[in-house]
Structure formats: structure tokens, C-alpha cells
């Protein structure tokens, strides 16, 4: 440690802290869609990772199209592509709810199996359409490079972008669930389906659109990931366990819990990986989560509603 | 004693199903297949242990475990550790920096046999560990969860996370576990070469007999009062709890039983296939075991075996000729088994064939008894 000067240590602290924050925004983005689908609706969507992959491939396709046909628009395509990622994932989610999920609301374990099957099918379709190799989108210039407040501190711009996006999406989800008329209906439906139906809410429509919105958010998350990692047919499935753990650990019905759990998991993991190896850091984090969950099964933040 | 046997066989219809399965496994397969294919079937049958365990845990207990591969892996790794130690004796590892330790440890600059490996020099301890390690771990997991009334989906997700953790751990600790390659180059069991054809035949038969034995034990459990309680609490847990039963204990029992059954399968896997690697214990293999049980029928022990054989046969056949179709097909199976035929092959049998078979049996029985009647009349 003697080799480091005080300012070096400060730079390490800032950059390590930033890498923790950037992992936090990744986990949060992944978990937000699931927090709606699993946390609010109680549907186990094992294909959630594949909806992220849809978003990532959408960005890839947009970047290729723009590069070939409208090279002058390269700096701007990303904004449009994110909206595209949301829309495509939304539409696919809508169709999946209509054909599959709506028959299974009363059988959660079967939903798990069916959506796992769905994820296998989607992975194979990705592989047929985009090839088995990992691809990455050509990013606009403003996402490349890094920000250097001092000569020693080096913060990548794409990391900042993911963080900004995660804040924006979280804000949007909070507004949607707790401030909009639609969110009120969603919460009413999940809390008491029969009563919600009795007061004139079309619960089936609510289910379908809510599920689709959750999928759309997963698409946006996938779109953001293309700025930091490449995309392959099975990339989504790598995230699924982490994503579920974030939501469960946070207390499945609490959105604030999801944010808190993403933050604590990300910070724990990035600190631990600094001291241990990458794999062991992850193992210790996951073990701790599971131990805490065994002692406190309802997660960090319990929803105030009795079920 | 006779009544006990009757229950283990599963009354008349169960006994016929079991007999048919026994004939297929122990007679038809060995006669019809060469040793390479038979060894492959033997490998599938070790997965069937996990599937049978899942029928108990999921079909009857109502607990969907997505970590069945974990326990399969514990059994397999315990056996592999013993075999590996036997294969790494001083003479065959003389060229290593540290002779007498497994080769992968030498590659990873480990110079001393780790503590945890020491007891696996003894075969008796290994057999004990194959049962005890998964039993202990499944007990800790299930007791912690079920005593706090965590169940259903949460339990499934946590078992899945455990499968993920264990894979990362095994892959990460290369010097201790052999990493991603697993434990390979296994040669002898107490001096008996397990790679010869005759050994493979013998192991196949031992495996088949064990599987049938496990099914009979499961039948015994299911036909007892315990089995009826399991069904009751799967359907209306609260009602069983209010009747004065400690529901958690029954769930823990089933979960542990399923874990031990899988572990036996894992140990047999190592013996027959000759290696153990993390690719068999992770999330994907664990959830594939669920589909074996689901295709066979989540309520049928015998069905689980057929389900395992059919899915694995399909996997081998498809991935040889159309690898890209297999995943689509597998996905469709998951969806189909949930949406179209939730009780799997056994359900199809129940609804289409069972009545006919019963009628046929009754007719045979009637013919027999009337024959006896004739004999009695003639004698008088």
C-alpha cells in the first residue's frame, strides 16, 4: 500500500465506487421490469432475460441499418432505437401474455416451466436470426470515451449513460405505478382481483398491458446493456438468477426495496471482488443474500398489504 | 410382510407397471443394445433417479425444486473424489511435482491433499457421504425455508440460485474441484476396473436394480399415512396445519428424500460415465430434470423413468441430426406439458389405456378362477 500516494488512493476509491454504482444501475435496470411483472403481478417470467436480449438485438439492428442507409444520422439513432426496443419488447410481451401467461395465473409453478420453455425457443430464434456469435452495436461517438475530471480519475461515458438511464426508467416506473390512473388500477388488480373487477376495472386488459410494459422495460434495459457489453443469443439467461434475487431480496412487492437491494448487492459485490477473485466475490454475495433470505423470507422491505 | 411387499409394488396395477419397466430395463435393453448404447441408457437412467425424486418432491409434495442437479452433483462428486484418489496412487502420479495427489491439483500448484479430500480414501466413508452430505444440505435448506413457511415460487427461485452458486463455486475452485473440466480419468473402484465392458454391464444392472428399488421405497412411503398427508398438504396446506400437523416437517422429509435419491443417481452417474463435471449440476441440467418428470407425468414414479428415457433419447437423436431444432422442441415440450397435458405420459395412459388394461386383467382373473372352479368340481 506504500506505493500508493493519497491522491492515488482517492482515485481508486472514486473509480471503484463508480464501478459499484454502474453495477447498481445495471442490476436496477434488469430488476425494474421484473419488479412489475413478478413483484406486482406475481408472474414468474423466466424469459425475462430474453426480453432484454430483444432490446439489445433491436439496438444492434438499428445501428446496422443506420450505418448502411443513413450514415449521417449515426449520432442520433440511439434515441430512436431505445424507443424501438421498448416497443418491440412491448409487442412481444403483449402477445406472450395473450397466448400463454393468461391461462396460467393460478398456477405459478407451471408459469415458471412454460416461460422457461419460451426462453429456450426465443434463444434458438435469436441464434437462427443473428447467428451464434456475440455481436455489438456501433455506438454513436458521444457514448465512447471517458470523462476525466482529474488526470487520474477516468470514468467511462457509457457507464454514466447507463446510470442516467436507470434513474430515468426508475422515475418513470414510480410515476407510472404510483401517480398515474393506470398504476392505481394495476395496484388494485394485484391486491384484490375480484374486487377490482367488481368496481369496473377490466382486469384482463390491465394484466396484459402491465405484463407488456414490464417486458418493454426489459427491452430498454437490454438496449442500455449494448453500450457496455456485447450481445449473444444466451446473454439474457445469464442475468435471470441475479435479477430474480434482486427482486426477491428487496421484498417482492416493494419498488423501493428493489432499488435498495440492487444498491446493496452491487456495492457488496464490487467491494468483495476487489478483495477476492471475481467468482468468489459473486459466490459470497449470493450466499449472503440467501442466508439473509432464509432468516427474513419476506425480503428487506415488506409490503404493508396483508394477503 | 406380504402386505408390505404389496404396498411397495403399488398394488396390482402398480406391480404390472413396475414389472413392465423391470423387463424393459433389465431384459430388453441389454439384449437389444450394444454396450456403447447400453452405457448411454445407463447414463439416462441415473438422471431418472433425479426425476423420480422430483415426482416425490414436486408431484406429491408440491415443492418445485430447481436445484435437483445440486444433489445429483453432490452424490456424483463424492463418488468421483473417491475414485480419483484411487486413480492417483504414488506410482501413476510419480511424474508430478507432488506425487500422490490428483493431477488437476498438481496443475494448480496445490502441494498437499486438501483436508476435505482426506476422508475420501475410505470407501465406507464415501458411501456414507453420498447419502449424508446431500441429506445434511437439503435439510438445512428446507428446514430454514419451510419452518418459516416460505414455499412455492420463492423456494424454487432460491433452489435455482443455489444451483447457480454451486456451479460458480465448483468452476472457481479449480485446485479443489477440477474446475470446469471436472474430475476425469477415473479408473478403478477398490481395484476393480470400471472401464471394461463387463464392468459396464454389471454397473448397468446394479443401476437398474437400484432404480427399481428406489421406486419401491417411494411406493411404500406414498401408500402410507405419510403419503396421504403429503397429498393433502399439497392441495390444502392450511387445512392440514389446522388439523394439528406440523406441515414443515413433512415437506422437509420429502425434500430430503428427493435429494438423497438424486445423490444416489449422481454416484451411479460417475461410476458409469467415468467423470463428473459442473456441466451436470448447474441451472440448465436441474431444470431439464424437471422436464423429465413432467413429460413422464409428475404424479407417476414409473412415468418419470420413461419420461427421462424419452427426452434424453430425443435429445441425443435430435442433436445429432438437427441441433438447432432441439432447443425449439425442448421449449415446446415445456409449454406443451404445462398447457396441454399437465399429467404427462402417465396422464395419457390413465385416461386412454388404464380402463382397458384393468378390464383385460379382470377377464384373465375371471377365466383363471373359473378354471380353478372347474378343477375343484371335477375333483369332487
Amino acid at each position: 500500500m506504500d506505493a500508493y500516494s493519497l491522491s492515488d488512493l482517492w482515485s481508486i476509491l472514486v473509480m471503484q465506487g463508480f464501478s459499484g454504482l454502474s453495477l447498481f444501475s445495471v442490476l436496477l435496470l434488469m430488476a425494474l421490469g421484473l419488479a412489475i411483472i413478478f413483484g406486482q403481478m406475481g408472474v414468474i417470467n423466466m424469459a425475462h432475460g430474453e426480453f432484454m436480449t430483444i432490446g439489445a438485438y433491436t439496438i444492434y439492428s438499428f445501428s446496422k441499418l443506420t450505418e448502411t442507409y443513413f450514415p449521417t444520422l449515426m449520432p442520433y439513432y440511439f434515441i430512436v432505437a431505445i424507443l424501438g426496443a421498448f416497443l418491440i419488447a412491448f409487442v412481444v410481451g403483449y402477445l406472450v401474455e395473450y397466448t400463454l401467461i393468461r391461462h396460467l395465473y393460478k398456477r405459478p409453478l407451471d408459469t415458471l416451466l412454460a416461460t422457461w420453455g419460451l426462453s429456450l425457443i426465443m434463444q434458438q430464434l435469436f441464434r437462427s436470426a443473428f447467428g451464434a456469435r456475440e455481436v455489438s452495436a456501433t455506438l454513436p461517438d458521444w457514448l465512447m470515451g471517458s470523462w476525466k475530471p482529474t488526470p487520474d480519475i477516468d470514468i467511462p461515458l457509457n457507464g454514466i449513460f447507463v446510470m442516467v438511464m436507470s434513474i430515468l426508467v426508475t422515475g418513470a416506473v414510480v410515476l407510472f405505478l404510483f401517480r398515474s390512473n393506470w398504476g392505481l388500477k394495476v395496484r388494485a388488480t394485484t391486491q384484490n382481483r375480484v374486487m377490482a373487477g367488481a368496481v369496473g376495472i377490466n382486469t384482463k386488459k390491465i394484466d396484459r398491458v402491465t405484463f407488456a410494459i414490464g417486458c418493454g422495460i426489459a427491452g430498454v434495459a437490454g438496449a442500455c446493456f449494448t453500450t457496455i457489453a456485447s450481445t449473444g443469443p444466451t446473454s439474457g439467461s445469464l442475468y435471470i438468477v441475479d435479477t430474480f434475487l434482486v427482486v426477491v431480496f428487496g421484498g417482492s412487492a416493494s419498488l423501493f426495496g428493489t432499488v435498495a437491494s440492487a444498491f446493496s448487492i452491487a456495492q457488496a459485490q464490487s467491494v468483495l471482488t476487489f478483495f477476492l477473485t471475481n467468482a468468489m466475490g459473486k459466490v459470497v454475495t449470493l450466499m449472503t443474500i440467501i442466508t439473509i433470505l432464509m432468516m427474513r423470507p419476506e425480503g428487506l422491505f415488506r409490503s404493508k398489504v396483508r394477503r | 410382510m406380504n402386505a408390505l411387499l404389496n404396498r411397495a409394488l403399488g398394488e396390482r396395477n402398480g406391480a404390472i407397471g413396475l414389472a413392465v419397466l423391470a423387463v424393459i430395463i433389465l431384459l430388453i435393453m441389454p439384449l437389444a443394445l450394444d454396450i456403447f448404447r447400453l452405457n448411454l441408457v445407463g447414463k439416462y437412467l441415473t438422471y431418472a433417479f433425479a426425476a423420480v425424486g422430483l415426482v416425490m418432491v414436486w408431484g406429491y409434495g408440491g415443492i418445485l425444486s430447481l436445484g435437483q442437479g445440486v444433489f445429483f452433483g453432490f452424490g456424483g462428486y463424492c463418488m468421483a473424489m473417491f475414485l480419483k484418489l484411487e486413480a492417483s496412487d504414488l506410482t501413476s502420479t510419480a511424474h508430478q511435482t507432488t506425487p500422490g495427489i490428483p493431477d488437476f491439483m498438481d496443475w494448480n500448484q496445490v502441494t498437499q491433499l486438501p483436508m476435505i479430500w482426506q476422508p475420501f480414501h475410505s470407501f465406507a466413508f464415501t458411501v456414507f457421504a453420498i447419502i449424508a452430505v446431500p441429506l445434511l444440505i437439503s435439510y438445512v435448506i428446507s428446514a430454514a425455508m419451510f419452518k418459516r413457511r416460505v414455499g412455492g415460487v420463492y423456494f424454487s427461485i432460491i433452489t435455482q440460485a443455489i444451483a447457480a452458486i454451486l456451479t460458480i463455486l465448483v468452476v472457481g475452485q479449480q485446485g479443489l474441484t477440477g474446475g470446469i473440466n471436472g474430475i476425469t480419468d477415473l479408473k478403478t473402484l477398490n481395484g476393480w476396473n470400471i472401464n471394461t465392458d463387463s464392468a459396464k454391464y454389471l454397473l448397468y444392472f446394479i443401476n437398474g436394480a437400484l432404480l427399481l428399488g428406489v421406486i419401491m421405497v417411494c411406493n411404500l412411503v406414498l401408500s402410507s399415512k405419510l403419503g396421504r398427508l403429503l397429498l393433502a398438504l399439497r392441495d390444502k396446506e392450511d387445512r392440514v396445519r389446522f388439523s394439528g400437523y406440523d406441515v414443515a416437517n413433512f415437506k422437509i422429509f420429502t425434500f430430503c428424500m428427493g435429494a438423497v435419491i438424486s445423490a444416489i443417481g449422481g454416484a451411479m452417474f460417475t461410476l458409469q460415465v467415468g467423470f463428473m463435471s459442473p456441466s451436470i449440476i448447474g441451472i440448465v441440467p436441474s431444470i431439464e430434470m424437471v422436464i423429465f418428470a413432467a413429460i413422464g407425468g409428475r404424479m407417476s414414479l414409473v412415468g418419470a423413468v420413461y419420461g427421462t428415457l424419452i427426452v434424453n433419447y430425443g435429445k441425443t437423436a435430435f442433436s445429432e441430426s438437427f441441433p438447432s431444432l432441439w432447443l425449439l422442441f425442448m421449449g415446446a415440450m415445456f409449454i406443451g406439458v404445462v398447457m396441454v397435458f399437465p399429467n404427462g405420459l402417465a396422464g395419457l395412459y390413465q385416461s386412454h389405456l388404464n380402463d382397458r388394461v384393468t378390464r383385460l386383467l379382470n377377464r384373465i382373473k375371471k377365466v383363471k378362477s373359473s378354471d380353478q372352479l372347474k378343477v375343484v368340481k371335477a375333483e369332487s
Side-chain angles (χ1 to χ4, degrees), chain A residues 53-129:
Chain A
T53 320
I54 288 186
Y57 275 124
T58 310
I59 298 282
Y60 169 73
S61 314
F62 267 78
S63 90
K64 282 282 163 268
L65 286 177
T66 325
E67 219 173 6
T68 337
Y69 297 109
F70 316 100
T72 47
L73 294 178
M74 266 322 261
Y76 313 107
Y77 88 90
F78 206 81
I79 315 285
V80 185
I82 285 187
L83 289 177
F86 179 83
L87 275 181
I88 292 178
F90 181 91
V91 170
V92 176
Y94 193 91
L95 291 177
V96 165
E97 207 279 347
Y98 186 73
T99 46
L100 198 64
I101 309 285
R102 71 184 169 122
H103 304 289
L104 300 169
Y105 280 117
K106 293 209 175 104
R107 296 186 280 160
L109 293 182
D110 286 354
T111 321
L112 197 160
L113 290 182
T115 49
W116 180 269
L118 180 70
S119 84
L120 291 182
I121 292 176
M122 283 166 88
Q123 281 173 24
Q124 187 51 48
L125 294 179
F126 295 146
R127 199 169 287 133
S128 312

Side-chain angles (χ1 to χ4, degrees), chain B residues 106-295:
Chain B
D106 200 55
W107 303 332
N108 286 291
Q109 284 87 39
V110 178
T111 51
Q112 205 188 356
L113 197 63
M115 271 290 283
I116 195 166
W117 277 70
Q118 296 284 1
F120 285 92
H121 277 298
S122 142
F123 185 62
F125 177 83
T126 307
V127 173
F128 169 73
I130 287 171
I131 307 291
V133 172
L135 189 65
L136 184 74
I137 290 173
S138 60
Y139 180 80
V140 170
I141 296 171
S142 56
M145 308 283 289
F146 295 140
K147 290 278 184 196
R148 288 187 176 74
R149 302 192 185 176
V150 179
V153 176
Y154 287 86
F155 190 81
S156 307
I157 289 171
I158 291 195
T159 48
Q160 187 170 51
I162 290 173
I165 294 175
L166 198 76
T167 321
I168 302 174
L169 199 63
V170 168
V171 173
Q173 295 293 314
Q174 247 185 46
L176 201 62
T177 60
I180 190 92
N181 296 320
I183 302 180
T184 52
D185 276 334
L186 308 173
K187 295 188 183 84
T188 53
L189 174 73
N190 278 336
W192 175 54
N193 191 340
I194 57 169
N195 293 322
T196 60
D197 280 359
S198 63
K200 280 183 178 167
Y201 268 113
L202 188 59
L203 282 171
Y204 174 84
F205 282 111
I206 294 176
N207 185 36
L210 267 177
L211 183 61
L212 293 170
V214 161
I215 294 178
M216 280 161 73
V217 171
C218 290
N219 267 335
L220 260 186
V221 170
L222 290 180
S223 60
S224 66
K225 194 178 169 193
L226 177 63
R228 274 195 296 279
L229 264 170
L230 281 180
L231 268 184
L233 76 87
R234 185 200 62 181
D235 293 339
K236 268 275 177 285
E237 185 172 327
D238 282 338
R239 213 170 273 184
V240 180
R241 183 175 286 131
F242 297 153
S243 311
Y245 290 102
D246 187 353
V247 169
N249 283 340
F250 295 106
K251 289 180 145 183
I252 294 169
F253 172 81
T254 349
F255 188 69
C256 292
M257 185 167 173
V260 170
I261 293 174
S262 308
I264 298 173
M268 290 312 294
F269 176 91
T270 308
L271 278 175
Q272 290 191 83
V273 184
F275 75 93
M276 190 70 211
S277 87
S279 63
I280 299 151
I281 63 178
I283 294 179
V284 175
S286 298
I287 207 161
E288 276 182 6
M289 289 166 182
V290 175
I291 202 68
F292 301 159
I295 291 286

Side-chain angles (χ1 to χ4, degrees), chain A residues 8-285:
Chain A
D8 281 346
L9 278 177
W10 170 243
S11 311
I12 291 174
L13 188 72
V14 170
M15 287 197 284
Q16 204 60 29
F18 182 79
S19 91
L21 279 181
S22 137
L23 184 63
F24 159 60
S25 20
V26 168
L27 284 179
L28 183 59
L29 269 177
M30 293 193 309
L32 276 174
L34 205 66
I36 294 179
I37 292 177
F38 175 58
Q40 298 295 318
M41 300 172 69
V43 174
I44 325 298
N45 184 15
M46 295 303 268
H48 194 75
E50 275 60 42
F51 283 97
M52 288 188 225
T53 320
I54 288 186
Y57 275 124
T58 310
I59 298 282
Y60 169 73
S61 314
F62 267 78
S63 90
K64 282 282 163 268
L65 286 177
T66 325
E67 219 173 6
T68 337
Y69 297 109
F70 316 100
T72 47
L73 294 178
M74 266 322 261
Y76 313 107
Y77 88 90
F78 206 81
I79 315 285
V80 185
I82 285 187
L83 289 177
F86 179 83
L87 275 181
I88 292 178
F90 181 91
V91 170
V92 176
Y94 193 91
L95 291 177
V96 165
E97 207 279 347
Y98 186 73
T99 46
L100 198 64
I101 309 285
R102 71 184 169 122
H103 304 289
L104 300 169
Y105 280 117
K106 293 209 175 104
R107 296 186 280 160
L109 293 182
D110 286 354
T111 321
L112 197 160
L113 290 182
T115 49
W116 180 269
L118 180 70
S119 84
L120 291 182
I121 292 176
M122 283 166 88
Q123 281 173 24
Q124 187 51 48
L125 294 179
F126 295 146
R127 199 169 287 133
S128 312
F130 296 95
R133 291 179 55 189
E134 300 213 330
V135 295
S136 32
T138 323
L139 295 177
D141 290 334
W142 51 269
L143 275 174
M144 313 284 246
S146 56
W147 178 52
K148 292 186 179 178
T150 73
D152 292 334
I153 298 179
D154 192 74
I155 291 176
L157 281 178
N158 50 10
I160 298 179
F161 173 75
V162 173
M163 260 167 67
V164 171
M165 278 308 289
S166 74
I167 294 171
L168 287 181
V169 176
T170 315
V173 170
V174 170
L175 281 182
F176 162 73
L177 271 182
F178 298 104
R179 289 287 175 271
S180 78
N181 204 12
W182 188 275
L184 191 65
K185 287 181 186 170
V186 171
R187 284 179 293 140
T189 309
T190 50
Q191 281 172 16
N192 194 330
R193 189 170 299 270
V194 181
M195 280 308 289
V199 295
I201 296 173
N202 184 348
T203 54
K204 282 184 179 160
K205 191 176 153 201
I206 295 279
D207 284 336
R208 200 161 303 147
V209 177
T210 313
F211 186 84
I213 286 177
C215 293
I217 292 173
V220 174
C224 296
F225 289 167
T226 51
T227 62
I228 48 178
S230 52
T231 316
T234 53
S235 321
S237 62
L238 301 176
Y239 298 120
I240 193 71
V241 172
D242 292 327
T243 317
F244 265 105
L245 277 186
V246 169
V247 179
V248 172
F249 185 56
S252 63
S254 156
L255 200 61
F256 179 68
T258 306
V259 178
S261 96
F263 184 78
S264 44
I265 291 176
Q267 290 302 331
Q269 198 163 318
S270 65
V271 168
L272 282 171
T273 20
F274 190 73
F275 291 110
L276 304 162
T277 61
N278 229 335
M280 284 315 284
K282 185 151 192 192
V283 166
V284 173
T285 323

